[in-house]
Amino acid sequence: MLQNSSSQDLPLLDPLPRIAIVRSSYYDELVTSMQDAAEGILLETHIKEIEVVTVPGAFEIPLTCKKLAEEKEIDGVIALGIIVQGETQHAEEIARACTDGLMQVQVETNVPIAHEVRFVDDIKHAEERCIGESNKGAEAAVTLLKMIKMLNKR
């Protein structure tokens, strides 16, 4: 459960929205922890229609989100992944491309995307954001539900 959150803090949507989770296969254990936390929040609000799509890496997440937003009847997407800074600028370039791509997709499609593709300095920082009460997957689910409600998607 999200830190400092309770069921009454979660927006209840009727009818229930259709949600997709697009996740990277890199750092699978950590991303799975975020996915589990996100799904836990969604199930807590009785959302059971969740499509999970796994892609090779963070760079592939925006394109997959766009395809889902355009071709599936979904109301929102949760994007999950981990990018760890290396010795070159490659990780920064991937993180920037992913962020820019996700913003472009949601602006073009009017489908909200909760962006939790984490760009971290090392695995320790990733673990702090993916495991336990600070799990960003739970935070992403709450954010997405609030955005769907605010946009009157449901």
Side-chain angles (χ1 to χ4, degrees), residues 1-4 33-34 37 116 118 125-140:
M1 178 93 160
L2 182 65
Q3 186 175 14
N4 299 323
S33 178
M34 286 196 295
E116 285 301 337
R118 308 302 302 173
H125 287 123
E127 290 170 346
E128 291 170 359
R129 289 156 180 85
C130 298
I131 298 172
E133 289 193 17
S134 296
N135 191 309
K136 297 299 183 179
E139 189 175 305

Side-chain angles (χ1 to χ4, degrees), residues 82-93:
I82 302 290
I83 303 168
V84 178
Q85 177 62 54
E87 294 181 15
T88 68
Q89 285 187 285
H90 182 72
E92 291 175 41
E93 292 168 1

